[in-house]
Amino acid sequence: MLLYALLLVAVVGCMVTLSKCDKPRAGQARAAGVASGGDTIDVAIEYSPVTYYTYDDTLGGYNYDLLRAISSVAGRPFKFHPIVSLDKGLAGIEQGIYDVLVAQFPLTSRNRDRYAFTRPIYIDQQVLVQRAVGAVHSQLDLAGDTLVVVKGSPMVERVHSLSREIGDTIYIRVDDTYGPEQLMMQVAAGEIRYAVVNKSIARYLDRRLPGVDVSVDISMSQFQSWLLRKDNLALRDSLDAWHATVKRDHKALYDSLQRRYFR
């Protein structure tokens, strides 16, 4: 528990530092709120073990590595903007600051009405994160409990649907500060009881956070895609074409990424 507490303190410190870095000085306000322009594609990318991470001087993550391969194929520069808050990424998309958002955002019919999505990048699903001691083993056992989700996430819709399915109330607390990795660490440290995150992230961190249980599914399998503004169809189509080229013409690289992050 001491280790979990120290890790949580470290993460909180990083979040504070990032939030300060995100606040531009008066003379930098305009520069921080505009797209790069030219041929550069601005990508808001969420911190997570599967999407984007840093370790010492190394950058990695399935989406990050795949986008770098696509950048090489397309001959277009990609500028990555790491984000912790999904809500901030969505706001940046709507304001035209970012061209693409790469985050935990499953493809649903309702979301299609608001945004454009690339073809599916991989398949994932949402799971319950809880402490192993005293863990529940069924969705029915969540009646009357509170689940924490990342602000702006479609997971809110899924929990509302689950509440209707079991015929009882499941409460939701939306966290506007932390991402999925930090929510899992809060569960491990006993700060919160339940969180909902994507299974790919949960399985990766489960091996590194003893005492955490991720065995209860919250949703069925869902497609995970990259998100763009509704009117940015030309870029969406280009990303789909470049992605297909990487899968076809760089199969060894593509297969190695699949093995590294999903097997």
Side-chain angles (χ1 to χ4, degrees):
M1 290 303 296
L2 178 59
L3 174 60
Y4 296 148
L6 290 174
L7 287 171
L8 187 59
V9 169
V11 169
V12 171
C14 290
M15 297 302 104
V16 172
T17 302
L18 284 170
S19 65
K20 290 181 178 178
C21 292
D22 285 342
K23 296 177 181 177
R25 299 188 183 98
Q28 298 174 325
R30 185 177 181 277
V34 298
S36 298
D39 290 337
T40 300
I41 298 174
D42 289 294
V43 180
I45 188 165
E46 182 183 59
Y47 278 110
S48 83
V50 174
T51 302
Y52 174 87
Y53 67 84
T54 60
Y55 180 76
D56 291 334
D57 295 328
T58 302
L59 297 177
Y62 179 75
N63 287 283
Y64 173 75
D65 289 340
L66 180 56
L67 282 165
R68 288 185 63 202
I70 288 175
S71 175
S72 178
V73 165
R76 295 277 299 274
F78 283 46
K79 183 175 181 180
F80 295 93
H81 303 266
I83 60 169
V84 174
S85 167
L86 176 60
D87 200 44
K88 176 185 174 183
L90 292 171
I93 285 288
E94 293 169 355
Q95 295 165 11
I97 300 172
Y98 308 133
D99 298 305
V100 185
L101 173 62
V102 180
Q104 281 192 110
F105 206 93
L107 177 58
T108 65
S109 58
R110 181 175 179 180
N111 293 333
R112 281 186 182 275
D113 294 334
R114 300 174 58 195
Y115 304 105
F117 291 89
T118 62
R119 291 174 183 169
I121 305 300
Y122 59 95
I123 297 175
D124 212 335
Q125 67 183 120
Q126 296 145 23
V127 298
L128 180 73
V129 181
Q130 58 181 325
R131 294 283 296 166
V133 176
V136 301
H137 302 289
S138 168
Q139 297 173 348
L140 296 172
D141 297 329
L142 296 174
D145 281 313
T146 299
L147 278 56
V148 183
V149 300
V150 174
K151 185 176 182 180
S153 171
M155 294 178 188
V156 172
E157 301 168 21
R158 175 55 200 150
V159 176
H160 281 313
S161 296
L162 178 59
S163 182
R164 292 191 294 270
E165 290 167 11
I166 69 172
D168 210 329
T169 302
I170 300 176
Y171 299 98
I172 301 172
R173 181 166 71 82
V174 175
D175 192 298
D176 60 0
T177 302
Y178 298 117
E181 183 174 2
Q182 291 74 38
L183 292 186
M184 283 196 66
M185 294 179 68
Q186 285 185 301
V187 172
E191 297 291 330
I192 57 178
R193 187 176 182 184
Y194 300 122
V196 180
V197 306
N198 273 10
K199 189 172 186 176
S200 57
I201 295 175
R203 290 178 62 184
Y204 182 90
L205 290 175
D206 180 45
R207 299 191 294 267
R208 293 158 176 77
L209 292 173
V212 170
D213 180 274
V214 296
S215 63
V216 178
D217 295 337
I218 295 297
S219 76
M220 300 178 65
S221 296
Q222 295 175 309
F223 290 123
Q224 297 288 320
S225 299
W226 299 331
L227 179 154
L228 303 87
R229 289 187 304 280
K230 185 71 174 177
D231 60 353
N232 204 357
L233 299 182
L235 179 57
R236 188 273 311 274
D237 293 343
S238 293
L239 286 169
D240 285 342
W242 296 332
H243 184 204
T245 299
V246 170
K247 292 175 67 175
R248 182 186 65 246
D249 298 344
H250 303 271
K251 191 174 185 303
L253 170 62
Y254 184 81
D255 290 346
S256 71
L257 292 178
Q258 291 284 316
R259 289 192 300 271
R260 178 179 179 183
Y261 291 102
F262 296 117
R263 297 176 188 174

